[in-house]
């Protein structure tokens, strides 16, 4: 069975971290490793990770030497991954139990080195476990097929559902950017010729943050998207403007779900 390396950046997320970790450890595909990088938390997150590691050898926590943000934390994890596949989950989201098993089968059937799935949205104060999750109507649907051109207009991939085949694509790190590193990674993979395929089944649960928080206010990411289009993808100003309009439209649409 393929080994899946799960990349999890952690920063002051003790309140939700336990449910996120358990959602990985209860996967029906059990051949995995959880590479959690604590980005200098001050709320006991690293202690909680150490407790999990004491009880399950698949949990491999590491503390970053200094605060570097989610992108750098993810890269620390990717660099020490041993898996055939690299998958991503933030410390406040959850996977449903069959996510890894079904996505691996989907990737194999479609010969797709980069895959993603649909996912649910939950309220910020949800306190249950992935095994308790009751499906709701708040679903972000995965597009069947996404190429580089389509991704420039909108980021169609939910990071909590993304998985890439390391044997095909090699070890791919996230670009050194303060925000939107995940989007930049998908674009770099597709720019090199690999399209992404989406499984239209919700297999993960995204925590929608409270109104007014930086992570929930997608409009605050406009400047980061603009920098991505202009500096990372080297788009012309008119093409970057078109891409930015698509990104804003997508954020507004998803915020209503």
């Amino acid at each position: 069975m393929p080994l899946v390396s799960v990349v999890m950046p952690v920063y002051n997320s003790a309140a939700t971290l336990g449910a996120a970790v358990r959602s990985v450890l209860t996967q029906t595909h059990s051949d995995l490793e959880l590479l959690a990088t604590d980005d200098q938390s001050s709320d006991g997150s690293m202690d909680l990770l150490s407790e999990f590691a004491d009880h399950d050898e698949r949990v491999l926590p590491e503390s970053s030497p200094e605060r570097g943000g989610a992108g750098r934390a993810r890269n620390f994890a990717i660099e020490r991954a041993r898996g055939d596949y690299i998958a991503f989950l933030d410390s406040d989201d959850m996977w449903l139990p069959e996510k890894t098993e079904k996505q691996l089968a989907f990737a194999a059937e479609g010969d797709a080195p980069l895959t993603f799935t649909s996912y649910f949205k939950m309220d910020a104060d949800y306190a249950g476990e992935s095994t308790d999750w009751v499906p709701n109507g708040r679903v972000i649907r995965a597009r069947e097929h996404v190429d580089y051109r389509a991704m420039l207009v909108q980021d169609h991939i939910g990071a909590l559902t993304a998985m890439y085949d390391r044997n095909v694509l090699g070890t791919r790190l996230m670009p050194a950017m303060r925000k939107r590193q995940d989007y930049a990674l998908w674009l770099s993979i597709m720019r090199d010729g690999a399209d992404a395929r989406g499984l239209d089944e919700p297999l993960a649960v995204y925590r929608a943050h409270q109104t007014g928080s930086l992570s929930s206010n997608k409009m605050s990411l406009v400047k980061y998207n603009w920098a991505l289009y202009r500096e990372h993808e080297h788009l012309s100003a008119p093409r970057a403007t078109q891409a930015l309009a698509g990104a804003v439209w997508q954020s507004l649409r998803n915020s209503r779900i």
Side-chain angles (χ1 to χ4, degrees), residues 163-182:
M163 184 176 72
Y164 74 78
D165 187 336
R166 195 174 174 206
N167 296 320
V168 174
L169 299 175
T171 299
R172 304 295 294 252
L173 300 177
M174 294 199 169
M177 304 168 60
R178 185 169 181 269
K179 298 284 184 181
R180 307 304 279 140
Q181 310 97 338
D182 52 346

Side-chain angles (χ1 to χ4, degrees), residues 58-251:
R58 296 175 297 170
V59 181
L60 304 170
E62 179 184 73
S63 181
S64 61
E66 59 185 7
R67 281 288 310 282
R72 184 179 294 181
R74 291 187 182 107
N75 283 345
F76 280 144
I78 295 171
E79 286 171 344
R80 57 195 183 99
R82 299 178 297 113
D84 303 289
Y85 289 85
I86 306 292
F88 301 87
L89 181 66
D90 283 352
S91 56
D92 52 356
D93 300 327
M94 302 186 304
W95 284 352
L96 297 182
E98 293 182 314
K99 192 261 188 190
T100 309
E101 179 182 358
K102 289 185 174 181
Q103 193 168 0
L104 284 171
F106 175 74
E109 291 168 3
D111 191 24
L114 175 60
T115 60
F116 59 105
T117 79
S118 300
Y119 61 93
F120 292 107
K121 290 178 69 175
M122 62 179 165
D123 292 334
D125 58 357
Y126 179 78
E129 299 286 327
S130 61
T131 50
D132 303 325
W133 177 254
V134 177
N136 58 24
R138 304 174 65 190
V139 179
I140 306 297
R141 292 290 177 188
R143 190 167 174 170
E144 180 180 356
H145 172 262
V146 181
D147 59 14
Y148 178 72
R149 186 181 181 89
M151 277 292 284
L152 277 178
V153 179
Q154 292 182 26
D155 180 5
H156 292 278
I157 300 178
L160 73 163
T161 74
M163 184 176 72
Y164 74 78
D165 187 336
R166 195 174 174 206
N167 296 320
V168 174
L169 299 175
T171 299
R172 304 295 294 252
L173 300 177
M174 294 199 169
M177 304 168 60
R178 185 169 181 269
K179 298 284 184 181
R180 307 304 279 140
Q181 310 97 338
D182 52 346
Y183 187 16
L185 175 57
W186 321 143
L187 283 170
S188 70
I189 290 173
M190 293 183 190
R191 195 187 329 109
D192 291 343
D195 294 348
R197 304 197 69 84
L199 173 59
D200 188 14
E201 180 178 355
L203 295 174
V205 190
Y206 170 79
R207 190 177 302 272
H209 293 269
Q210 299 290 356
T211 301
S213 71
L214 178 62
S215 52
S216 67
N217 185 5
K218 301 301 183 185
M219 296 299 291
S220 70
L221 295 179
V222 165
K223 66 177 181 180
Y224 298 109
N225 276 54
W226 181 258
L228 169 62
Y229 299 138
R230 294 285 283 158
E231 299 169 16
H232 191 267
E233 297 305 310
H234 306 292
L235 301 185
S236 66
R239 198 175 181 197
T241 300
Q242 180 186 22
L244 187 61
V248 170
W249 179 85
Q250 181 198 33
S251 294

Side-chain angles (χ1 to χ4, degrees), residues 35-64:
L35 303 162
T37 304
D38 181 70
D39 197 27
Q40 294 291 310
S41 295
S42 59
D43 69 342
S45 291
M46 187 61 187
D47 292 336
L48 182 56
L49 288 171
S50 297
E51 290 180 19
F52 275 110
D54 288 341
H55 293 88
D56 195 317
E57 62 183 7
R58 296 175 297 170
V59 181
L60 304 170
E62 179 184 73
S63 181
S64 61

